Amino acid sequence: MKVHWTDTAKGHLGAIHSYIAQDSPEYAKHVVDRLTRRSQQIAEFPFSGRRVPEHDVDSIREVIEGPYRVIYMIGGDRIDILAVIHGARNRHES
């Protein structure tokens, strides 16, 4: 299945990178690389992520990478990455 990163999710990745890069540009790149690689798992196994508790809809799921939640929606022939947020954040803050 094709994975599409929404502008919102890309913005989240950029903000994560910028924040971490203040201390370590190399580690910031590593974290973003790990997060984006999760889309390969999502493409191959869309239902491998758990249902997002806040929504409790079968098509909205998440995978966890370190302290981050990669939230995505399965629809038809593609998967949209909706958000990448720190696990400590409330989903409605993003």
Side-chain angles (χ1 to χ4, degrees):
M1 219 178 243
K2 181 177 169 135
V3 175
H4 170 258
W5 285 78
T6 64
D7 289 340
T8 299
K10 289 178 191 175
H12 292 163
L13 284 177
I16 290 165
H17 183 275
S18 294
Y19 181 76
I20 296 171
Q22 294 175 37
D23 293 324
S24 174
E26 188 172 317
Y27 185 65
K29 181 183 179 327
H30 174 73
V31 169
V32 170
D33 286 348
R34 281 186 15 220
L35 288 166
T36 56
R37 275 197 310 267
R38 290 308 293 260
S39 64
Q40 294 171 350
Q41 172 199 343
I42 293 167
E44 292 180 38
F45 305 103
F47 289 95
S48 63
R50 72 175 187 157
R51 290 170 74 156
V52 174
E54 302 92 304
H55 296 286
D56 198 29
V57 176
D58 200 43
S59 62
I60 300 177
R61 298 191 166 254
E62 69 182 349
V63 292
I64 307 300
E65 180 59 49
Y68 297 99
R69 301 167 67 196
V70 179
I71 300 172
Y72 62 97
M73 183 170 62
I74 303 165
D77 60 346
R78 95 176 190 188
I79 297 165
D80 290 321
I81 307 291
L82 303 175
V84 181
I85 58 175
H86 196 280
R89 278 187 67 185
N90 180 322
R91 172 68 179 107
H92 300 289
E93 292 176 16
S94 55

